[in-house]
Each structure stands twice: as structure tokens, then as C-alpha cells.
Amino acid sequence: MAHIFISHSSKDAAAARRLKEWLSAQGFDSVFLDIDKEAGIQPGAMWERTLYRKVERCQAMLLVVTPDWLASQWCFAEYAQARALGKAIFPLIETPTGETFVGGDLQAIDLTEDREGKLTQLAAGLRKVALLSPDGFELPDGVAPYPGLTAFGEEHAAVYFGREDATGRLMEVLRRLRAGSGGSKLIALLGASGTGKSSLLRAGLLARLRREGSAWIVLPAIRAEATPARNLADAIAAATAPGDTAAQADLANALSGADPSAALADAARRMRRAAGALDATILIAIDQGEEVFTLAEPAAARAFLTLLNAAMAEDLPFLAVIAMRSDYLDALQAMGVLLREPEVVSPSPMPVERIGAVVRGPARLADITVDDDFVAAVTADAGRGDTGRGDTLPLVAFLLARIYETHGKADRHLSLADYDTFRDVSGGLSPLENAVRLVAEDALPASGEQARAANAALREAFVPALVRLSEEGEFTRRPAPLSTLPAAANPWIDLLVAARVLVRRTALDGEAEGSGMEGPEAPAREPVIEVAHEALFRVWPRLAGWLEEERDFLAGKTRLDQALADWTAQEDDIARAKALLTGVMLDRARDWLLAHPARFSGTERDFILRSEAAERIAQARTHRRDRLIRYLSASVAAVSLIAIGLVGWQWREAVAAQDAELLARRNAEASEADALAARDEAKAALGAATRAANTMIFDLAQEFEDRSVPTPIIRAILEQARTLQDTLAAGAPDDAALQRSRAVALNELGDVYARQDNLRAALDAYRESLDIARALTARDPDNTQWQRDVSISLDRIGDVTLRAGDASGALDAYRESLDIFRALTARDPDNTEWQRDVSVSLNKIGDVQLRAGDASGALDAYREGLDIARALAARDPDNTEWQRDVSISLDRIGDVTLRAGDASGALD
């Protein structure tokens, strides 16, 4: 039951006693009335301090509003204190006052009319307040009353004081969404770092919803991390089939598929049936939601939001809360996946006036006495702190945990002397400002070789694995698998985990080590290390100094991560080449890689090296292209040597660099794994050279397109380049990406031959490209891009064959191409590019049929192509290219109709 405080004027004692008697009859036993002989203020007690304590401890204040109450300054002081502490306040109008308004946002209960009905309403409100109270929870064995910098978990619900109002508002929003229809089913719980979103979600909301009986099925909160869709699928599967790992795996796979709707519906039915609550709402909770955008690749983020969106369907019983930093709301909305805008809830930071409850509430539960001057000192220092940073209250939490461990746990008492042990008098630092620094420094060696080793190893661990720089220039934490951190840092990381400034947890469950949530049934997962709170970046001078020195690197690393994600997302070699690093960004990345190679993953190193190789080739190509054209009249051999040397030089340089690296590693007694890695990079260099050869063909083709260069010279140079290309590609016959790049380059080469009317050479190039595309498609029949490559080569073969006078051969090629485009369109009817391919192929087939004298067949093909073009134009009336396709098809139909003698139809 809730602790209730009755605020009344001394002239209204009878009304106050009558109210207390009614509360007792309703089962509300914890009621403070100052004039009560047993539970009121006892003779000799300091009444003002007692009143303050009672207001601080209560969950609800009842105001016995009369003209005397309104006239009493003491009553108003009690009310103002309760407002500052966030207590639930119920104004009860006992006698007409001429004004029934107490607080602009408080709904008064008028007891002068329908008293019994209004008291029933009051009882319902008080029971809701009781639900929010921490007093109904037990603190599990082994769980400390003060958790420190880490967020409160559900196991801390009994000591989660000071946020009852925020919890209540969040629960009211959830109840409203549960009762409504057609609105949002997703709450975005927003706030800056340090405002307590995670604690509010876990210890506030989830713990209390579990006490609401059959109305809710509450899934454990998950972290997004790098695989948010899989984490969400695993959480739903674990709740659906507890203990059945095989069933969980099957369901998680179904939820990760293209259409998870059926799996979600099945999971909901099974969860409700198991809970015996067929009307229950199932709540999904995602903590640290910004990780969807900071740790997950764009494709993984989209997959997560797609699954979440499917769960939010109107006919499914899911609601969701995602706690995230406010500055990532735009990123959530910009993904364009969610069907409805989320309902935004932004709790205010907890006022420092409530620190007394934060200190005394847990102490009361743990049978610890707290001196008033201890609370006063903590509150005063917190009030002087930089609350705008959002880390004052987390620092209070850290200090309370440390004082409890060092003093209160043994003597069950917290005193001002205990608090002052953390003060730095010489530095002018309060215990709040000094505690984290003191604890972190005490955990590490102070001087000597060990201190130097600790500094070097921890700096490389923090930067960049455990810290990122936000767009606003703020240092924010990021979790990192322990295996990705320098091994030399492990002993010091263990010490900082023991000091509770770092947290060790498992990758998927999001629970910190020592939280009490581990168990023998928990799956073995890779340990993850993260900073306990971003306040550490400000109040630990050693770390703050490192980060300021590395600010430029961290800013560049953020841009590099985004560039790498953009490059990875590209689907073809030409787009990927355009997405490589260039200019100043490449120069800085290259310097960082040389200075700190251990800070970059293999993928990042490859990206930087590819960018560097591409820049060198581009620079050489810029200088040599004009020279190539100027000297075309010279011997073909000399010019070819320049073209071949352009790529060969790059290949030799890259391989030599890799050989040198391998030799250096061998001299340093590198492991076999390091040697293999070096050979892999040599292979990557070969790939880069192959792509360079392909790019050279494109460049030469473009240069020759608009220049009057003798055909024999052009042919000789291109054939030399093609020979080089074939030689390089033969070195990696199983590399699908390189082979496809070669096929695309062969088509470009064929286009050059076709423009020069060398139809035989063009046909040879197109057919070789077709053979590569067919071989790739045979390896992976589901790869739609490779199927389209086959169709494009067939189209080119048809064009050249028709120019050579073989209409029948051209028709065969076009029809095979059309069959592929039709099959692709059947697989994805919404792919407008493939639909247009079908329309273009139909027009080509119509042209051949018309040329062969089959006007009826041509008309059928043109009309089908027109239908597709019209459908596309209707989908996007602003697409001028699709409108033009309609016009071209109409022109063709007009031509055929006119030849058939139907002038009126042609005119139409």
C-alpha cells in the first residue's frame, strides 16, 4: 500500500480524522496524520523535521482543502514540498471555498457532492499510486541497495525512488495506447545521456507492469547492438518457447524472414495461452535504441525496424517502447520503415530536491541509518553541479554505491564524515566531482613501468573501441567485444570492472556482470565491455585527457565508419569505386592506419588500401590520359606498354608492399594467422589490380568515343588491355565480383567495336561476357543481378546480330532476354526497373518482327510494351522518362497501324 500524508489546517482536525478512519477501512494502513496519537508527531519530537521526513517518504499527499487550509502558510509549504518531490497530490474539497483550484494541473475531488462516489474515485487513484511505489518490491539477495553508475535493472525496483511521477506518466501512455485503436503502438522514450531512460524503462516501467496481472505479458528488455533484428527475434522466441532451444531457433529464423507476420501471430497466441491471458498485451522493450544507428549496419537497422513494424500491426497484440537518445529520433523517422509516427515521451531529469528520497529510500530498505547532514551535503553539492551535462545524478549514484561499500555496509550508517572521505580539499573538488577519479586511479598503478604499460594499453582500449564522438561533438560510450580490445589491456580492464567504472556483460542479454541475472541456463556468449556512464569521460582526468588528444581521430573515425557503411551498401563495382575515400579524408585515414594499425579492423584496412590504390591509379590516369592521346600516332607497342604498365605498376607495388609486410611479421615471429592475413591482403591487391584493368578499359572506351583516332591503333590498344585483363582475372577464377567486373568491361569493349562497325569483334566480346554471366548465374541461380547481366548481354548480341542482317538470330536473343526479364518481374512485381526492361525488350522484338514482315506480331509486342509503360507512368506521373516511353510506344503502334491501312488509328 502507498504511504499517505494528510495535509490539513489545525482548524480542520475533525475532517482530517474522519478521512484517516475512512482510509483505514479501505485497507490503507500507512497514513501519517500529525495529530494522531499513535502515528503522528510524538511529544518532544522536532515537528518541522518530522514533517519534512514524512513528506519525503510518502507516495501520496491528500489536501483537506477548506478556507482555513488555503489561508495556512504551513499547509502551503507541505504542498510545495510534495510538488518539488514529485509526489502524487489529491486536493479534496471538504467545504465550499469560493475557489477549488490548487495547482493548475491537479484535478480536485469535490467531496461536497456525491461523497461516497468521489471517495471511491480517490481509492482507485491511491491504488494506482501504490502500484508505482517501490515499497511493494523485495530487494533480491546479493543485490546492493545502491547500484552505482550502471542503470537500475528490474531487480532494483525496490530501491528505485524519486521517479514515481515519470513512471506513472509512462504507464498512463501505455494504458491509453492499449485501449486505443488505429494510433501508434510504439513509444519513443527520449532523453539525453544521464536522464535515466534505461532505469525508468527497466526498474520503473517493466517491473511495475509485471504486477498488473493478466493485462500485460512483459518481455525482458533487450539491447539493440550490432544485430538488433536477431536480438529481437531471439527475445520473442525465448518468451514463446522457454526451455525449448530447438523451437526457439525455428521461431527466431521465421521471425528473421522476409514476412514475419505469421510467426509473430503464432508467437502471440502461444504466449497468451501459456500465460492464461488471452487478451494480454505483449510489451517489447528496447534499451539503448541509438545502437540501431551507431552499431548496426544500415541493412541490419532496416531489418530490425521492419520486424518491429510488423509486430506493431493493428491485428497483433504487441506494443513497444524504445529508449534512446533524443538526437536519434530523426534517424528513426528517416528510415521510412515505420507505418506510424512513434508516440514520444520525454521525461525531465530528476530534480535534485529528490535526492533525499534517493538516499533514504534504499537505506530504509537495507536497515541503514542516514544522518541529515549527509543528505544535505549531497543535495547541496548536486545542486552546485553542472546539471546541464546530465551526469550530476549518476555521479550521486556512483558515490552512494562507493560509500555503502566502504562504510555503510559494515556499520549500517551513512555519515557526513563518510562523505567527506572522498573530498579533495587541495583541489577544491567535492566528493561528487572527485569520487570517480579517486576510485579509477586507485584501481591502477600510480607510477613506474606498470603505470606506463597500463596507460598505453588502456588508451588503445578506449580509443576507438569504447568511445565514439557524436555529431554534436560529445563523447559517447559504445560497447565492444572483449576479444576486439588489446590483450595487454585485459588485466587493467578487470580492475576497472571491479571498481565499477567499466561494465562487463554478455553480448545479447544486456545484463551487467553482478546484476544477479546470470544463471546456469544462460547461454554462453562473448563478453562485452562498456563504460558504466558517459560521466566518466568528464570526471576522470586521465581519460578526459586522452579523449581530448584523440578528438580529431575520433571525429575522423566516425566519418570513416559512415563512408565504409556507404561503400559496403553499394551493389556494383562502378558505384563502389565512386564510394571510396578520396582527398583529405583518404590522406588522414592513411596516416592513422600507419600510426595506429591495431585500431582498424581487417575490413577497414582493406577499405583504406583500396581507396589508396584507386587514388594512385586515378592520379596516374589523369596525367597519362592526355599523353596517351598525344602519342597515339607513335608505335602501338609503346602506347600499349604505357596502358599495361599503368595497371601492372599498381599490382607490383601492392604485392611488394604485402610481401614486405609478411617479411616484417615473420621477422617479428608473427603467428600463422598473421601470415595468412598478409597473403589475404596480397590476394586483395591482385583483385584491386584486376579492377584497375577493367576500369582502364572503360576509360579508354570513353576517350576513343569522341576522338578521330585511327581504328587499327584503337583496336590494338584495346586488345592489349583485354589481354592484360584476362591474365589478371585468371589469377582469381573463383572471385565472382572480379569475374562480373570483367564481364561488364567486355560489354563496354564490345560497344567500342560496334561503334567502329567491327561487328565480329563486338559479337566476340559480347558472347564472352554472356558466357561469364551464364557461369555466374549457374553458381547462384537466385542472384537477380547476374540474371539481369545475362539478359543485357543477350540484348547487345541481338543488336549486333540484327545489324549483321541475321533477323532470326536477333529475335532468338531478344526473346531469351525477354524471358529472363519476365521471370525477374514475376519475382518482384514492384521492381520498376525490371518492368521497364520487359517493355524495352518487347519493343525490340516488335522492331524485328516488323522488319520480317510480321506486322500483327509486332503490333502485339508494341501494345504489351505500351501497357507496361502506361502502368509505370501512372505510378509516378512526374517521371518524364516513363512518359516518354509511352510516347515512343504510341509512335511505333502508329507506324504499324498506318502500314496496315488504318490511317484513323494511326492518327489517334
Side-chain angles (χ1 to χ4, degrees):
M1 277 297 171
H3 297 289
I4 301 170
F5 184 105
I6 298 178
S7 173
H8 68 100
S9 165
S10 59
K11 297 179 181 180
D12 299 319
R17 287 194 179 94
R18 187 166 65 249
L19 179 60
K20 184 178 186 301
E21 290 170 0
W22 177 85
L23 289 169
S24 298
Q26 299 299 314
F28 295 99
D29 297 326
S30 182
V31 180
F32 174 77
L33 177 62
D34 59 349
I35 58 176
D36 187 80
K37 292 182 179 179
E38 295 180 359
I41 299 177
Q42 301 304 308
M46 300 179 67
W47 66 269
E48 190 173 357
R49 179 176 293 183
T50 302
L51 286 176
Y52 178 84
R53 289 274 190 87
K54 294 297 184 180
V55 173
E56 184 181 66
R57 186 179 180 187
C58 78
Q59 275 81 49
M61 177 176 283
L62 307 186
L63 313 180
V64 182
V65 181
T66 66
D68 292 321
W69 188 94
L70 292 170
S72 170
Q73 62 177 344
W74 296 113
C75 290
F76 184 80
E78 292 168 352
Y79 158 74
Q81 183 187 346
R83 290 284 288 185
L85 295 174
K87 307 301 182 181
I89 299 175
F90 297 85
L92 308 178
I93 309 302
E94 272 288 354
T95 61
T97 63
E99 60 175 302
T100 58
F101 174 80
V102 179
D105 58 343
L106 297 179
Q107 181 65 45
I109 299 176
D110 189 352
L111 299 182
T112 63
E113 297 179 0
D114 185 22
R115 184 180 183 89
E116 290 304 317
K118 297 298 178 61
L119 287 175
T120 300
Q121 178 184 341
L122 171 62
L126 290 173
R127 290 190 177 95
K128 283 188 176 181
V129 172
L131 179 65
L132 299 175
S133 170
D135 291 331
F137 293 93
E138 296 291 334
L139 187 66
D141 291 340
V143 176
Y146 301 107
L149 276 179
T150 56
F152 285 71
E154 288 190 55
E155 70 277 15
H156 295 106
V159 292
Y160 186 57
F161 286 88
R163 299 298 268 161
E164 292 86 351
D165 53 343
T167 304
R169 284 195 292 271
L170 185 55
M171 291 181 71
E172 286 301 321
V173 173
L174 271 173
R175 292 188 187 109
R176 173 168 55 80
L177 296 184
R178 181 175 187 267
S181 61
S184 178
K185 300 180 74 178
L186 172 66
I187 293 176
L189 180 59
L190 303 181
S193 175
T195 54
K197 303 179 299 297
S198 296
S199 298
L200 178 58
L201 176 67
R202 294 173 183 266
L205 178 68
L206 301 189
R208 283 154 180 80
L209 283 183
R210 294 190 194 280
R211 298 203 302 181
E212 285 215 333
S214 61
W216 297 91
I217 296 173
V218 182
L219 304 186
I222 65 164
R223 287 277 293 266
E225 300 192 318
T227 55
R230 189 69 197 191
N231 295 359
L232 176 55
D234 287 345
I236 295 173
T240 304
D244 189 342
T245 55
Q248 289 178 21
D250 290 342
L251 179 55
N253 288 333
L255 291 168
S256 302
D259 184 7
S261 300
L264 285 165
D266 178 58
R269 282 193 299 271
R270 292 165 63 183
M271 276 190 270
R272 284 171 145 187
R273 193 163 52 242
L278 299 183
D279 293 325
T281 296
I282 303 169
L283 184 67
I284 295 169
I286 303 105
D287 195 7
Q288 306 290 331
E290 62 272 6
E291 292 177 349
V292 174
F293 310 101
T294 60
L295 297 182
E297 299 290 343
R302 183 169 291 275
F304 165 74
L305 293 176
T306 298
L307 175 57
L308 187 62
N309 198 52
M312 298 300 100
E314 193 63 37
D315 58 342
L316 293 176
F318 292 95
L319 287 179
V321 180
I322 180 168
M324 60 193 301
R325 288 174 48 147
S326 305
D327 46 335
Y328 284 94
L329 178 61
D330 288 344
L332 176 67
Q333 295 168 325
M335 291 293 290
V337 175
L338 298 177
L339 293 177
R340 303 183 186 93
E341 289 292 306
E343 178 102 5
V344 173
V345 176
S346 299
S348 301
M350 192 180 79
V352 293
E353 291 84 359
R354 302 184 193 174
I355 285 179
V358 171
V359 176
R360 289 196 176 97
R364 196 166 54 242
L365 191 69
D367 294 324
I368 297 172
T369 57
V370 183
D371 289 347
D372 288 341
D373 51 6
F374 176 94
V375 176
V378 176
T379 303
D381 285 339
R384 286 191 293 268
D386 190 355
T387 55
R389 291 180 179 271
D391 59 17
T392 298
L393 292 171
L395 293 179
V396 170
F398 180 81
L399 182 62
L400 289 174
R402 297 308 299 177
I403 292 177
Y404 169 74
E405 289 290 336
T406 56
H407 299 87
K409 195 173 185 179
D411 59 21
R412 320 307 295 173
H413 181 73
L414 302 181
S415 68
L416 181 60
D418 298 335
Y419 181 69
D420 282 337
T421 59
F422 288 88
R423 189 179 300 278
D424 181 0
V425 177
S426 61
L429 299 177
S430 74
L432 292 184
E433 297 166 315
N434 192 45
V436 172
R437 179 198 67 81
L438 194 61
V439 170
E441 293 295 342
D442 283 351
L444 302 174
S447 60
E449 186 58 37
Q450 272 200 325
R452 286 190 290 273
N455 270 348
L458 284 174
R459 181 167 181 155
E460 290 303 305
F462 276 100
V463 180
L466 296 174
V467 186
R468 62 181 296 274
L469 195 67
S470 72
E471 293 182 0
E472 293 73 29
E474 296 178 354
F475 298 115
T476 60
R477 61 181 175 172
R478 64 188 301 176
L482 180 60
S483 61
T484 65
L485 302 179
N490 285 351
W492 318 116
I493 288 173
D494 289 342
L495 292 174
L496 293 177
V497 169
R500 300 191 181 181
V501 294
L502 293 183
V503 174
R504 185 199 311 269
R505 61 179 178 81
T506 51
L508 296 180
D509 60 12
E511 297 298 341
E513 187 175 86
S515 68
M517 298 301 288
E518 301 89 358
E521 297 181 358
R525 295 176 178 137
E526 182 176 10
V528 169
I529 302 297
E530 67 180 328
V531 174
H533 195 277
E534 273 124 4
L536 192 69
F537 303 145
R538 182 174 73 89
V539 298
W540 185 15
R542 185 192 309 210
L543 177 57
W546 294 343
L547 296 185
E548 283 303 326
E549 291 171 6
E550 299 283 3
R551 179 177 285 276
D552 286 346
F553 170 77
L554 287 168
K557 184 64 168 58
T558 298
R559 292 195 294 273
L560 176 65
D561 291 344
Q562 184 58 55
L564 177 58
D566 293 341
W567 178 74
T568 305
Q570 305 305 315
E571 296 182 353
D572 60 75
D573 290 340
I574 297 175
R576 286 166 73 87
K578 291 179 180 178
L580 290 169
L581 298 174
T582 58
V584 175
M585 186 62 210
L586 174 58
D587 291 341
R588 299 181 74 184
R590 183 168 42 213
D591 292 343
W592 289 328
L593 181 59
L594 290 172
H596 304 286
R599 292 182 179 180
F600 297 88
S601 67
T603 302
E604 291 168 337
R605 286 196 296 272
D606 178 63
F607 178 52
I608 296 170
L609 292 174
R610 284 174 185 265
S611 300
E612 181 180 24
E615 183 183 65
R616 288 184 179 179
I617 292 173
Q619 290 172 346
R621 186 163 59 238
T622 299
H623 293 301
R624 299 184 186 189
R625 183 179 295 160
D626 290 340
R627 292 171 59 194
L628 176 64
I629 298 301
R630 285 198 301 269
Y631 292 105
L632 278 175
S633 56
S635 69
V636 172
V639 176
S640 300
L641 184 61
I642 293 174
I644 295 169
L646 177 64
V647 178
W649 163 75
Q650 167 61 30
W651 178 35
R652 289 191 299 274
E653 185 177 77
V655 173
Q658 299 304 322
D659 288 344
E661 180 181 351
L662 180 59
L663 180 59
R665 291 185 180 184
R666 284 175 177 165
N667 290 340
E669 297 183 353
S671 66
E672 182 180 355
D674 291 335
L676 290 173
R679 287 197 291 274
D680 287 342
E681 293 191 7
K683 183 179 178 182
L686 175 62
T690 305
R691 281 185 289 273
N694 299 340
T695 303
M696 185 180 70
I697 287 184
F698 282 109
D699 292 338
L700 291 174
Q702 295 301 315
E703 286 293 336
F704 296 149
E705 183 173 1
D706 300 320
R707 295 179 183 268
S708 300
V709 180
T711 299
I713 293 178
I714 293 174
R715 186 182 307 164
I717 292 175
L718 287 176
E719 286 175 353
Q720 291 275 9
R722 181 178 171 185
T723 299
L724 173 61
Q725 181 193 51
D726 292 344
T727 301
L728 289 171
D734 295 326
D735 190 322
L738 295 183
Q739 293 299 331
R740 180 175 183 263
S741 175
R742 179 168 165 250
V744 174
L746 282 166
N747 277 338
E748 188 71 21
L749 185 62
D751 291 346
V752 173
Y753 286 137
R755 286 195 295 269
Q756 297 174 348
D757 291 326
N758 188 350
L759 301 186
R760 181 180 297 278
L763 197 58
D764 288 344
Y766 292 149
R767 283 175 173 161
E768 188 174 353
S769 176
L770 175 64
D771 290 341
I772 295 171
R774 286 194 196 279
L776 290 174
T777 303
R779 287 170 58 178
D780 185 359
D782 292 328
N783 190 308
T784 55
Q785 183 58 60
W786 293 348
Q787 292 182 48
R788 190 170 184 269
D789 289 347
V790 172
S791 189
I792 290 171
S793 293
L794 285 167
D795 267 355
R796 283 180 160 91
I797 290 171
D799 294 343
V800 173
T801 305
L802 187 62
R803 286 177 60 185
D806 182 4
S808 175
L811 195 59
D812 289 343
Y814 289 150
R815 281 175 171 160
E816 186 179 353
S817 175
L818 175 62
D819 289 342
I820 295 172
F821 284 139
R822 285 193 196 278
L824 290 174
T825 304
R827 291 180 60 172
D828 185 358
D830 292 328
N831 190 309
T832 55
E833 182 182 20
W834 294 346
Q835 291 183 50
R836 188 168 186 266
D837 288 339
V838 171
S839 180
V840 171
S841 290
L842 285 165
N843 282 339
K844 287 189 174 186
I845 289 172
D847 291 344
V848 177
Q849 289 175 317
L850 187 62
R851 184 171 177 175
D854 183 6
S856 175
L859 196 58
D860 289 342
Y862 291 151
R863 282 174 172 160
E864 186 180 351
L866 174 62
D867 290 341
I868 295 172
R870 277 183 166 152
L872 290 174
R875 291 180 61 169
D876 185 0
D878 293 330
N879 190 312
T880 55
E881 185 177 22
W882 292 350
Q883 292 183 49
R884 186 172 182 272
D885 288 346
V886 173
S887 184
I888 290 172
S889 292
L890 286 165
D891 271 352
R892 282 182 160 95
I893 291 171
D895 292 341
V896 179
T897 306
L898 186 62
R899 290 177 63 175
D902 182 5
S904 174
L907 190 59
D908 291 341

